[in-house]
């Protein structure tokens, strides 16, 4: 444990050191940067000691440190010239600590990490609290002196006399994977699947999060990896330790696991799927008309993530009509074309079919089609080529990387299509191209299937589902989530690690644009509205930047603005997951769910469509948890927001807060829900209203 503390101290030190030069505002005595004067030491032995400290601490995971093998991280400040900038920092008017010399500044940064927060960490604001403040005592004096001395002498080429020179990269010792007991390995494998695979990939090749293959993780080392897992990053990596979901020991086990070769999980056949397939109520025994007096089209299917359930809630009365078991860590729900059926997909690839016409809606069929899934969609087309309403469903899997066609009424799986293929740009084989969002075209019997890692949008014709034709459109790597424009002709999908939105014309079936956005766009399905200056736009918020970006979507009447970013609306923070509006609303709603500041994480904002340059209002929806995801009721008059709490904390497990959309006033709370996340109104989901 001491070793972990060490790295956290060190990370904190380095994070807090500003690499930014600032103008001196007040006269101050000259500050020495010479190691001897600073109380540090120089020479080969101490350089080796410093390098050992940097290596043991895994400082290179977060910082660029010249001469330190593998030190190319960007979570913390670039330390290339820290010997110079430390001096400028203590003299600057923005410095908030007590140090008078550069060396004292470095030591202070270790012993009191919050004394001063550097401004620039890899182009972003530095993160407060990346390391605990009470860890200085675990760092030995000699090592501390050596590290301080080393940093004071940077940039090395200007301090050659000090004996500090850059170490050639060839001396990098990647090291071997640390030992891990079988029990720890098995636990970490399962934990990785549950918490990490979604962003980093089952084979750890990276997508929403960076690659975590041994060539990347071994040079970072156990301590640095554990620190990042414990503390999270501003780039959207959750702070698993701080949230109390992993202990420090567990983060170390995870860090060791990440340095092993990733285990390849097994395949999954149609025969295996069929073994799990159950029709609980056959179609012939189901109601022929709605059995309820309620307006079932105004039901909300609410994900209760950690309960492995969904709640069916009446949008008029706010009563819970039923709570049913679905899959593990339930992810999303989509409705059949008529709205009568809800299809709920769990992360474990379990699909549940709920009949909303029953007096008490319940699961009528279920099946597991893979080990790891995120998306489900239905056949919606009704036209010249036939009526496919409520006929088929499709599930998109992360592992094995495939999608599966199922009978829409019984969930009998009947066709598997593998997505293993080649990247659209470099034409390299990828063993794990995962299925991200899937969307049903309103114009043709087609599903738009987004293949994350290869960057291809597959247009899958389901009119002859045993012999499907697939058009593969080159788009952008790391496709994730997206939605339709207001005419439903164009599909806008976030290539989130590429910071782009790809636009697909569903009529002509071609890519029409790739639009550069801010960092890590994450639209959910996005928000369509009329900008007072630029006409129809579709908006996304971002995980990596505090901003809403709006893109013109009207080629007919606003050709000058089409497929261009026409407006950027700043938000108080980053970490946003979802944005939502309704054609009748004057607002755009946005969350900041994954912001590292707990207050911002439970704060939501609205932007007025009439004055979209700035947010109109922001407020906390609860005093615990995270605010996540919005959904309108069928009438478009109320907005539901989830408070994503902690399943193990009675009273704080989560709730839904309902606001009047016209006044922004709270109208109701549905309390004591277990970790509610996504909410899907039947009517709005069927008609793609957002
Ligand atoms: Fe989601 C949509 C994948 C984490 C809640 N999420 C999607 C979609 C994908 C996806 C591909 C689009 C589905 C579609 O439209 O067909 N989500 C992933 C991940 O890979 C990721 C980043 C990590 C993981 O391990 O799963 C992830 N998602 C989350 C969460 O942590 C959220 C907030 C809560 C949860 O489920 O654990 C979450 N994702 C949602 C929701 C939607 C979604 C509510 C649908 C939004 C909508 O309005 O359509």
């Amino acid at each position: 444990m001491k070793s972990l503390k060490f790295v956290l101290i060190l990370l904190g030190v380095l994070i807090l050191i500003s690499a930014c030069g600032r103008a001196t505002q007040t006269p101050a005595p000259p500050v020495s940067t010479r190691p001897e004067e600073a109380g540090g030491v120089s020479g080969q032995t101490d350089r080796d000691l410093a390098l050992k400290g940097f290596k043991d601490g895994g400082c290179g995971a977060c910082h660029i440190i010249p001469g330190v093998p593998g030190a190319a991280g960007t979570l913390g400040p670039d330390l290339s010239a820290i010997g110079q900038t430390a001096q400028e920092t203590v003299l600057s008017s923005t410095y908030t600590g007590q140090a008078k010399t550069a060396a004292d500044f470095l030591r202070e940064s270790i012993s009191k990490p919050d004394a001063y927060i550097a401004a620039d960490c890899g182009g972003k604001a530095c993160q407060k609290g990346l390391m605990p403040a009470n860890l200085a005592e675990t760092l030995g004096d000699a090592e501390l002196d050596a590290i301080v001395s080393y940093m004071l002498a940077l940039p090395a080429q200007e301090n050659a006399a000090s004996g500090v020179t850059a170490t050639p990269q060839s001396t990098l010792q990647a090291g071997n994977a640390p030992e891990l007991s079988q029990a720890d390995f098995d636990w970490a494998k399962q934990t990785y699947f549950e918490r990490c695979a979604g962003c980093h990939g089952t084979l750890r090749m990276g997508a929403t999060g960076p690659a975590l293959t041994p060539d990347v993780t071994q040079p970072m080392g156990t301590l640095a990896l554990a620190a990042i897992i414990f503390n999270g990053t501003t780039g959207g990596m959750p702070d698993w330790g701080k949230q109390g979901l992993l202990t420090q020991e567990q983060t170390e086990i995870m860090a060791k696991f990440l340095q092993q070769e990733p285990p390849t999980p097994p395949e999954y056949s149609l025969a295996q799927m069929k073994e799990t397939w159950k029709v609980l109520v056959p179609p012939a025994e189901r109601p022929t008309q709605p059995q309820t007096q309620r307006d079932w089209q105004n039901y909300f299917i609410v994900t209760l993530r950690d309960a492995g359930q969904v709640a069916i809630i009446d949008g008029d009365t706010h009563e819970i009509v039923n709570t049913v078991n679905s899959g593990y860590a339930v992810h999303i729900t989509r409705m059949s074309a008529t709205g009568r059926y809800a299809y709920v997909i769990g992360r474990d690839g379990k699909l549940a079919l709920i009949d909303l016409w029953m007096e008490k809606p319940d699961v009528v069929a279920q099946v597991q089609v893979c080990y790891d899934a995120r998306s489900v969609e239905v056949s919606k087309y009704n036209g010249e080529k036939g009526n496919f309403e409520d006929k088929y469903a499709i599930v998109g899997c992360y592992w094995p990387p495939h999608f599966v066609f199922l009978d829409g009424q019984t969930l009998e799986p009947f066709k598997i299509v593998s997505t293993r293929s080649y990247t659209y740009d470099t034409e390299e084989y990828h063993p794990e191209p995962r299925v991200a969002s899937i969307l049903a075209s309103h114009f043709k019997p087609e599903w738009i299937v987004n293949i994350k890692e290869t960057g291809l949008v597959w247009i899958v014709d389901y009119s002859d589902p045993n012999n499907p034709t697939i058009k593969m459109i080159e788009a952008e790597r790391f496709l994730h989530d997206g939605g339709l424009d207001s005419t439903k002709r164009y599909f806008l999908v976030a290539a989130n690690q590429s910071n782009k939105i790809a636009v697909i014309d569903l009529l002509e079936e071609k890519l029409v644009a790739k639009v550069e956005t801010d960092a890590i766009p994450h639209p959910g399905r996005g928000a369509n509205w009329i900008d007072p200056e630029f006409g129809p736009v579709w908006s996304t918020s971002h995980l990596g930047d505090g901003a809403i970006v709006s893109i013109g979507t009207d080629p007919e009447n606003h050709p000058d603005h089409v497929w261009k970013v026409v407006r950027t609306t700043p938000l108080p923070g980053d970490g946003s997951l979802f944005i939502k509006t309704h054609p009748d609303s004057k607002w755009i709603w946005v969350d900041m769910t994954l912001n590292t500041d707990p207050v911002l994480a439970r704060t939501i904002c609205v932007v007025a469509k009439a004055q979209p340059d700035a947010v109109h209002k922001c407020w906390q929806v609860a005093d615990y948890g995270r605010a996540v995801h919005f959904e309108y009721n069928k009438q478009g008059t109320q907005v539901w927001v989830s408070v994503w709490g902690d399943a193990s904390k009675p009273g704080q497990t989560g709730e839904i807060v309902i606001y009047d959309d016209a006044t922004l006033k709270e109208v109701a709370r549905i309390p004591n829900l277990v970790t509610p996340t996504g909410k899907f109104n039947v009517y709005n989901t069927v008609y793609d209203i957002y």
Side-chain angles (χ1 to χ4, degrees):
M1 201 43 51
K2 276 194 167 185
S3 53
L4 177 61
K5 288 180 176 178
F6 169 79
V7 72
L8 293 175
I9 289 175
L10 204 49
L11 282 169
V13 171
L14 303 180
I15 289 277
L16 296 173
I17 297 165
S18 172
C20 303
R22 292 190 180 85
T24 303
Q25 305 284 319
T26 48
V31 178
S32 171
T33 58
R34 288 171 55 205
E36 316 86 83
E37 285 180 33
V41 282
S42 61
Q44 188 62 28
T45 309
D46 299 300
R47 181 177 155 276
D48 289 346
L49 189 60
L51 290 180
K52 181 175 178 300
F54 286 127
K55 180 172 182 290
D56 290 347
C59 308
C62 291
H63 300 276
I64 296 166
I65 316 172
V68 177
T74 54
L75 290 175
D78 179 345
L79 302 180
S80 301
I82 191 60
Q84 282 174 357
T85 55
Q87 178 178 4
E88 290 164 8
T89 300
V90 290
L91 294 176
S92 86
S93 61
T94 54
Y95 172 58
T96 48
Q98 302 294 318
K100 297 279 185 274
T101 68
D104 283 350
F105 167 71
L106 296 177
R107 288 199 172 76
E108 176 190 69
S109 300
I110 295 171
S111 57
K112 294 180 189 162
D114 285 348
Y116 174 73
I117 304 294
D120 181 13
C121 288
K124 295 193 173 160
C126 296
Q127 186 181 338
K128 199 173 176 181
L130 191 64
M131 60 173 269
N134 61 341
L135 304 178
E137 66 269 18
T138 62
L139 193 63
D141 286 348
E143 245 173 355
L144 176 59
D145 285 345
I147 286 169
V148 168
S149 182
Y150 187 100
M151 289 193 290
L152 283 170
L154 292 174
Q157 63 276 19
E158 291 175 29
N159 293 275
S162 72
V164 176
T165 53
T167 302
Q169 197 68 11
S170 59
T171 63
L172 171 66
Q173 295 290 318
N176 296 316
E179 282 183 18
L180 204 54
S181 71
Q182 188 61 44
D184 284 348
F185 184 90
D186 292 343
W187 173 85
K189 188 171 86 171
Q190 183 62 21
T191 305
Y192 181 85
F193 164 71
E194 290 169 7
R195 305 226 178 259
C196 321
C199 290
H200 299 279
T202 301
L203 301 180
R204 295 201 230 125
M205 296 178 76
T208 304
L212 294 172
T213 41
D215 57 317
V216 176
T217 53
Q218 285 185 8
M220 291 172 80
T222 304
L223 301 177
L225 288 165
I228 293 169
I229 297 167
F230 194 92
N231 295 296
T233 70
T234 46
M237 165 83 186
D239 47 354
W240 298 116
K242 284 186 183 168
Q243 286 183 42
L245 292 164
L246 294 177
T247 64
Q248 290 202 335
E249 282 85 353
Q250 287 171 328
T251 58
E252 278 191 55
I253 294 170
M254 288 306 296
K256 288 179 183 169
F257 171 77
L258 294 178
Q259 295 169 72
Q260 323 284 326
E261 283 299 329
T264 305
E267 301 298 319
Y268 198 71
S269 68
L270 189 66
Q272 285 172 292
M273 294 177 200
K274 287 211 170 161
E275 276 171 29
T276 69
W277 173 48
K278 283 195 191 116
V279 181
L280 306 169
V281 183
E285 293 169 26
R286 294 178 199 160
T288 51
Q289 58 186 15
Q291 301 294 293
T292 175
Q293 299 303 308
R294 297 175 189 271
D295 179 1
W296 57 274
Q297 287 191 316
N298 198 19
Y299 283 162
F300 285 68
I301 317 302
V302 177
T303 297
L304 303 179
R305 188 192 187 284
D306 294 348
Q309 296 178 319
V310 291
I312 297 126
I313 304 183
D314 186 328
D316 294 321
T317 64
H318 307 156
E319 290 167 298
I320 299 176
V321 186
N322 200 9
T323 302
V324 303
N325 291 331
S326 42
Y328 168 82
V330 193
H331 192 224
I332 68 164
T333 297
R334 296 290 186 238
M335 310 305 158
S336 68
T338 63
R340 181 230 174 113
Y341 290 113
Y343 298 78
V344 184
I345 188 72
R347 278 187 172 70
D348 53 1
K350 283 193 185 142
L351 180 67
L353 178 67
I354 300 172
D355 186 353
L356 301 176
W357 279 8
M358 295 163 85
E359 186 166 8
K360 199 171 178 187
D362 214 336
V363 177
V364 292
Q366 62 192 38
V367 66
Q368 182 177 14
V369 295
C370 48
Y371 301 109
D372 196 4
R374 293 296 180 281
S375 47
V376 59
E377 183 55 298
V378 298
S379 53
K380 283 190 173 172
Y381 177 79
N382 183 2
E384 281 173 9
K385 293 186 176 173
N387 182 358
F388 295 90
E389 289 186 344
D390 296 15
K391 201 160 180 192
Y392 302 125
I394 175 174
V395 172
C397 295
Y398 273 12
W399 191 271
H402 65 209
F403 53 85
V404 182
F405 299 161
L406 310 97
D407 182 284
Q409 306 274 326
T410 64
L411 298 192
E412 180 177 10
F414 63 89
K415 181 78 185 169
I416 307 173
V417 179
S418 173
T419 53
R420 288 191 174 104
S421 51
Y422 290 78
T423 51
Y424 90 94
D425 44 3
T426 56
E427 299 293 341
E428 281 166 295
Y429 177 71
H430 199 294
E432 189 196 357
R434 296 175 293 166
V435 180
S437 46
I438 305 180
L439 193 125
S441 168
H442 290 261
F443 299 107
K444 300 183 185 183
E446 289 175 344
W447 285 310
I448 295 93
V449 180
N450 295 281
I451 317 296
K452 187 186 286 281
E453 279 77 6
T454 53
L456 289 155
V457 176
W458 288 12
I459 309 272
V460 180
D461 184 330
Y462 55 70
S463 56
D464 181 9
N466 285 302
N467 307 286
T469 51
I470 301 176
K471 177 165 182 178
M472 300 178 183
I473 299 179
E474 296 185 349
E476 189 52 85
R477 287 211 207 192
F478 310 119
L479 298 170
H480 192 73
D481 52 354
L484 297 169
D485 78 312
S486 58
T487 68
K488 302 186 177 24
R489 172 171 174 171
Y490 299 99
F491 174 61
L492 295 98
V493 56
N496 60 13
Q497 281 307 108
S498 303
N499 304 333
K500 289 195 180 69
I501 298 289
V503 187
I504 309 291
D505 180 344
L506 300 184
L507 264 188
E508 296 196 6
E509 298 182 351
K510 62 176 191 192
L511 178 82
V512 290
K514 285 200 255 185
V515 187
E516 193 95 31
T517 64
D518 286 3
I520 322 182
H522 193 283
R525 284 169 286 167
N528 287 296
W529 56 286
I530 313 284
D531 185 283
E533 209 179 327
F534 304 108
V537 293
W538 175 94
S539 302
T540 181
S541 54
H542 300 77
L543 262 169
D545 273 315
I548 295 174
V549 156
S550 298
I551 297 167
T553 58
D554 181 11
E556 295 293 315
N557 302 312
H558 297 82
D560 290 350
H561 306 309
V562 76
W563 315 134
K564 291 180 186 151
V565 172
V566 292
R567 193 181 288 285
T568 299
T569 311
L571 297 175
D574 58 17
S576 177
L577 288 181
F578 298 109
I579 181 169
K580 184 78 64 158
T581 189
H582 187 279
D584 298 338
S585 173
K586 55 184 178 184
W587 311 111
I588 301 152
W589 298 68
V590 63
D591 62 26
M592 289 167 286
T593 316
L594 295 186
N595 195 287
T596 49
D597 177 344
V599 171
L600 282 181
R602 52 183 179 252
T603 295
I604 58 172
C605 298
V606 289
V607 176
K609 291 178 186 173
Q611 287 164 317
D613 277 340
V615 292
H616 170 77
K617 186 180 168 189
C618 299
W619 68 96
Q620 285 186 62
V621 295
D623 55 9
Y624 69 94
R626 296 167 186 268
V628 65
H629 195 251
F630 307 92
E631 180 64 301
Y632 275 86
N633 62 352
K634 179 181 164 190
Q635 299 86 343
T637 54
Q638 293 183 346
V639 178
W640 294 31
V641 184
S642 301
V643 179
W644 182 2
D646 182 339
S648 67
K649 290 188 182 155
Q652 295 195 344
T653 57
E655 59 196 287
I656 285 175
V657 189
I658 302 174
Y659 293 96
D660 180 279
D661 186 59
T663 62
L664 304 181
K665 294 221 168 76
E666 184 181 319
V667 290
R669 281 183 187 241
I670 305 172
N672 299 321
L673 299 172
V674 178
T675 55
T677 51
K679 305 156 290 299
F680 305 92
N681 177 272
V682 174
Y683 185 86
N684 292 336
T685 309
V686 168
Y687 295 105
D688 284 293
I689 297 172
Y690 36 81

